[in-house]
Amino acid sequence: MNRQEELESENKRLNELNGKLEWRYNHARSQYFLFLKQVLPLLSTEKKKEIFISAGRNCAKSLGWADLYKNNPEGFFRHMHEHAGECISFSNDKKTITVVTQNRPCDCPLMRGQCGMDGAYCDCSLGWQMETYETILQKRVSVDLKESCLRGSGKCVFEITVLD
């Protein structure tokens, strides 16, 4: 077998593997939606918020992006603008950060295309923003969700208040 045939064979094998992985991901995702649709109505608003904020914090920690920008919020703002098209800025007194995403579906790969999903899922994004900005700023923050894709807007808008 020559080098070209080896590459074509490997490419075919990788495409088949990718197809299997994509099927497994889509299957697991549909099972997760079914789980959420069955469980969310059983939980109080407070419990849903607690669970989703915790999940969002965990997501941000596992990505590790914020660690790269500790004490460099403007660098993170640029990174998010370049890679996700987000507009992020400080207020003049540097006590408030506003995050505005592009008009797009939910950025979470699990929620993409799930417009009918319970808007409580957006609390996951609150946790993500909290963990990210508390890590970058090394200060506590509170996050207010002004608009979200899953709650009827075309974009997400967050207002982050620096507490310390």
Side-chain angles (χ1 to χ4, degrees), residues 37-98:
K37 286 181 181 181
Q38 291 174 348
V39 171
L40 288 180
L42 305 175
L43 300 173
S44 70
T45 301
E46 295 78 24
K47 186 49 85 175
K48 286 186 230 183
K49 188 170 191 126
E50 178 186 327
I51 290 168
F52 284 127
I53 286 175
S54 176
R57 282 185 172 276
N58 185 62
C59 178
K61 278 182 197 174
S62 68
L63 289 172
W65 298 347
D67 290 328
L68 303 173
Y69 295 94
K70 281 184 181 173
N71 300 309
N72 181 12
E74 287 86 357
F76 184 72
F77 298 174
R78 281 190 302 278
H79 170 80
M80 293 304 289
H81 182 72
E82 291 168 7
H83 296 281
E86 293 185 358
C87 293
I88 308 172
S89 60
F90 268 121
S91 60
N92 287 338
D93 63 5
K94 302 250 182 191
K95 293 184 185 233
T96 305
I97 298 169
T98 303

